């Protein structure tokens, strides 16, 4: 078994323990393997271990991987999620090549994705990014902006608004982690109460997975715990 396969197994076991502790259905949490900065060979190892959904932050790197994978894993259908910041001039290739986008942080980006999503593809699954900790360094809608933008995005054709994504300020204290995730969950529940058909909370990474699952995460985005430490050029 490769180290990536071993790490995947360990992460899946950690998710299972967190789900059980929270009294949740094991099928209610999906693992998104964040493969940014790792090449197609690393993705292939994860695919061979059964992983099918991958998260990418950098557009050109992701497109190169997508192009390489059919030859490496013939006939295997993968699901690609864009989770990084989105520049307006990059929306077309995102709309054309990805299955999910987690990092929509303004209406203009959603409108461009809607306009540029090819008609022959299924609707693009969308999460709105919320800057739940109010950090100036992070993208995302404020909690105050969120409701109006969510209503507008939900009306756009060729998109399907699925839920919210958040990256809270780092904390080593699980109580603080849970408080931030609980705040995101409350926003999600309010939008549902207002009539939006949402089903996805994309929150939790390698360092705060347990707290995210405890507060209702349905997709956890795990990178370094699967692929190892990242090496940035």
């Amino acid at each position: 078994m490769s180290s990536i396969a071993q790490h995947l197994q360990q992460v899946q076991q950690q998710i299972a323990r967190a789900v059980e502790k929270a009294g949740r259905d094991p099928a209610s949490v999906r693992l998104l393997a964040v493969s940014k900065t790792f090449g197609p060979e690393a993705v292939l190892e994860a695919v061979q271990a059964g992983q099918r959904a991958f998260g990418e932050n950098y557009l050109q790197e992701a497109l190169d991987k997508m192009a390489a994978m059919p030859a490496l894993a013939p006939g295997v259908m993968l699901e690609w999620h864009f989770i990084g910041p989105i520049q307006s001039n990059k929306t077309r290739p995102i709309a054309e090549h990805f299955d999910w986008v987690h990092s929509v942080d303004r209406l203009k980006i959603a409108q461009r994705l809607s306009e540029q999503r090819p008609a022959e593809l299924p609707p693009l699954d969308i999460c709105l990014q919320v800057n739940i900790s109010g950090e100036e360094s992070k993208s995302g809608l404020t909690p105050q902006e969120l409701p109006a933008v969510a209503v507008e995005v939900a009306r756009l054709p060729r998109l399907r608004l699925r839920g919210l994504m958040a990256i809270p300020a780092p904390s080593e204290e699980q109580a603080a982690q849970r408080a931030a995730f609980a705040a995101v969950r409350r926003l999600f529940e309010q939008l549902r109460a207002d009539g939006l058909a949402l089903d996805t909370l994309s929150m939790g990474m390698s360092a705060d997975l347990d707290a995210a699952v405890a507060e209702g995460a349905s997709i956890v985005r795990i990178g370094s715990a699967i692929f190892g430490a990242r090496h940035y050029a």
Side-chain angles (χ1 to χ4, degrees), residues 34-40 42-43 56 61 65 223 227-231:
V34 178
S35 42
K36 68 177 182 181
T37 79
F38 291 92
V43 173
E56 292 285 336
E61 178 194 323
K65 265 180 258 192
F227 295 102
R230 293 195 183 91
H231 304 286

Side-chain angles (χ1 to χ4, degrees), residues 56-67 80 82 98:
E56 292 285 336
N57 288 59
Y58 308 119
L59 179 59
Q60 190 55 55
E61 178 194 323
L63 296 176
D64 291 345
K65 265 180 258 192
M66 289 179 190
W80 295 97
F82 193 81
F98 284 84

